[in-house]
Amino acid sequence: RTFLVQNNRLSCQIRGAHDANVSSSGALLLPGNAFSRPLPPWAPTADVNFLSVSSFWEAWRVCILTSGGGLVSLAVVVGIWAGRAEPGQALGLFRVRGTDPKVARIRTSCAWNLAVWSVMWAPVVAACYYLGAGLYTCGKSWLQPTAAYFYDAPVTAWIVATLVCAGFGVAAGCSRGLDTHAHALFPEPCLESPDLRPLRAHLVGMWVVWVLSSFVLSIPVTLYVASTSLPDDNTLGF
């Protein structure tokens, strides 16, 4: 028997001087992140394309197609909307026919806050994902910036977790600011009308039931994932 040992969890190119001695009937290759080169001819799965990456296009085509398709779709939607907009309505993105200018100001403020925060936050998180992904260094490159590949990088993992929590905090703060902005633009008594009290009670009840249900339903999944994925020497001390 010939045993071929490949480092990096079977994702880099397989090279060796004993290829001719490996029996195709007894060889089994199971990559975790796809091999960075086509499999050797003696492998029974040598003709399975998705197990390996042989070119830049095969490695990045999913990202290129999804990103390009999204940009093209956005351009088409903006073009159609701009063609139907009246003059002076900012391409019709935030103001459509019959929209109150105050509502347009709220929409513009919300979109602006989201855009500014995304520009500052997304590149930092993406860089942390990419730099901290040490589980696989070969294979499909577009899979590298994922939380599952944080291997031997607990500091980076904690930084990403902190940034994600900060992102949700900023989103909550923006929501609160948007609510304050709406009250400032619409100071009419209708916002505090007693007729809205049953609606508020229903919304609070829905929120409480949703949070409790999500918490209860997530406990088994969380325990299962923790029991099967966390190593004995995990940084959480569990």
Side-chain angles (χ1 to χ4, degrees), residues 35-38 52-65 130 139-143:
F35 294 98
S36 58
R37 293 292 186 274
S52 62
V53 178
S54 59
S55 64
F56 174 84
W57 172 248
E58 290 187 0
W60 291 96
R61 60 183 176 184
V62 175
C63 289
I64 294 175
L65 292 176
Y130 188 82
K140 293 183 178 179
S141 304
W142 65 274
L143 290 176

Side-chain angles (χ1 to χ4, degrees), residues 208-219:
V208 172
V209 172
W210 175 262
V211 171
L212 292 178
S213 301
S214 301
F215 180 75
V216 172
L217 294 176
S218 63
I219 290 178

Side-chain angles (χ1 to χ4, degrees), residues 18-37:
H18 305 288
D19 290 356
N21 298 328
V22 179
S23 173
S24 60
S25 61
L28 179 62
L29 300 177
L30 299 176
N33 187 31
F35 294 98
S36 58
R37 293 292 186 274

Side-chain angles (χ1 to χ4, degrees), residues 106 109-110 113 167-185 192 200:
I106 294 179
S109 176
C110 181
N113 292 333
F168 280 104
V170 171
C174 289
S175 299
R176 182 59 181 172
L178 185 63
D179 181 69
T180 303
H181 193 47
H183 278 75
L185 293 177
E192 303 297 333
R200 295 194 188 98

Side-chain angles (χ1 to χ4, degrees), residues 74-150:
L74 178 61
V76 171
V77 171
V78 171
I80 295 176
W81 211 332
R84 297 181 178 180
E86 296 180 359
Q89 287 191 335
L91 298 180
L93 291 178
F94 302 109
R95 294 186 61 183
V96 295
R97 183 177 301 175
T99 301
D100 193 300
K102 296 180 180 181
V103 177
R105 289 173 56 188
I106 294 179
R107 293 178 179 177
T108 305
S109 176
C110 181
W112 176 254
N113 292 333
L114 179 61
V116 171
W117 171 246
S118 299
V119 168
M120 296 186 299
W121 179 79
V124 178
V125 176
C128 291
Y129 270 114
Y130 188 82
L131 296 176
L135 186 59
Y136 300 101
T137 58
C138 302
K140 293 183 178 179
S141 304
W142 65 274
L143 290 176
Q144 189 169 354
T146 60
Y149 288 176
F150 282 151

Side-chain angles (χ1 to χ4, degrees), residues 9 135 147-148 150-154 157-158 222-238:
R9 296 156 187 85
L135 186 59
F150 282 151
Y151 185 77
D152 290 340
W158 278 110
T222 303
L223 294 178
Y224 174 77
V225 172
S227 63
T228 55
S229 61
L230 288 179
D232 295 335
D233 57 346
N234 62 83
T235 58
L236 300 177
F238 293 158

